[in-house]
Amino acid sequence: MERKKTFEGIIWGAAVTACVLTITVLAHAEFRKGEPLAPPTPEKMIERLQMDFNLTDEQTAKARVFMDESVRQEEEVLKRYGLNRDQLQVLQKDLHMARDDFFTKIESILTDKQKKTCGAHGGRWEDDHRMPPPPPPCGPSAQ
């Protein structure tokens, strides 16, 4: 019985990790919908914020300051790990494929009834096991 609980804990932990990866990927995909596959430039991101939130000039100026700081931090992180933006995109693609592989394997052990619901969120396997994208980031943690 204890083994079963441990195994269930591992499966749920893996499922939660996969869901977090899914949310991250979907958030990026939604943000870039209709745009080329290249990452958006800081200026395009500012334009998107202006459009989505109808920012005032003062808010736009502050958003630019935040964006500049964010770009600087991202560059530091990439440099720390010896990556460039293209390598980061490849890494994200590989993580996405690993997540899809996980869901394919999990689906192979589920009954039809179990496939109809996915965890506490009630996501549907028939809907490509994806939750709706989160709203655009806002607040202090959205740098």
Side-chain angles (χ1 to χ4, degrees), residues 5-143:
K5 286 184 179 181
T6 302
F7 180 73
E8 288 175 353
I10 291 170
I11 291 296
W12 281 111
V16 168
T17 302
C19 287
V20 168
L21 288 173
T22 301
I23 290 169
T24 303
V25 169
L26 291 175
H28 286 284
E30 181 66 22
F31 189 78
R32 296 187 332 192
K33 190 182 276 185
E35 296 178 10
L37 292 179
T41 64
E43 194 56 40
K44 284 238 185 246
M45 292 174 75
I46 294 292
E47 289 174 16
R48 177 72 185 255
L49 288 170
Q50 286 174 312
M51 181 180 69
D52 290 348
F53 298 109
N54 195 23
L55 299 179
T56 66
D57 290 342
E58 182 181 343
Q59 289 172 314
T60 301
K62 288 180 180 179
R64 278 196 172 89
V65 171
F66 298 153
M67 182 63 64
D68 291 343
E69 176 65 19
S70 178
V71 168
R72 186 188 63 72
Q73 289 174 350
E74 287 176 14
E75 292 299 326
E76 287 176 5
V77 169
L78 290 173
K79 186 177 179 179
R80 184 179 327 134
Y81 290 99
L83 297 172
N84 60 40
R85 292 202 180 274
D86 292 336
Q87 291 168 323
L88 179 63
Q89 285 183 321
V90 169
L91 176 62
Q92 288 173 330
K93 180 181 175 185
D94 289 346
L95 290 172
H96 180 76
M97 289 181 353
R99 183 216 34 147
D100 284 349
D101 183 54
F102 167 79
F103 275 108
T104 300
K105 289 176 181 175
I106 290 295
E107 187 173 15
S108 73
I109 65 171
L110 298 177
T111 66
D112 288 340
K113 184 177 179 182
Q114 290 170 321
K115 289 177 187 177
K116 289 182 181 177
T117 59
C118 176
H121 300 292
R124 302 281 178 209
W125 284 94
E126 333 40 88
D127 296 336
D128 196 23
H129 58 267
R130 295 184 181 170
M131 296 171 55
C138 55
S141 64
Q143 289 184 353

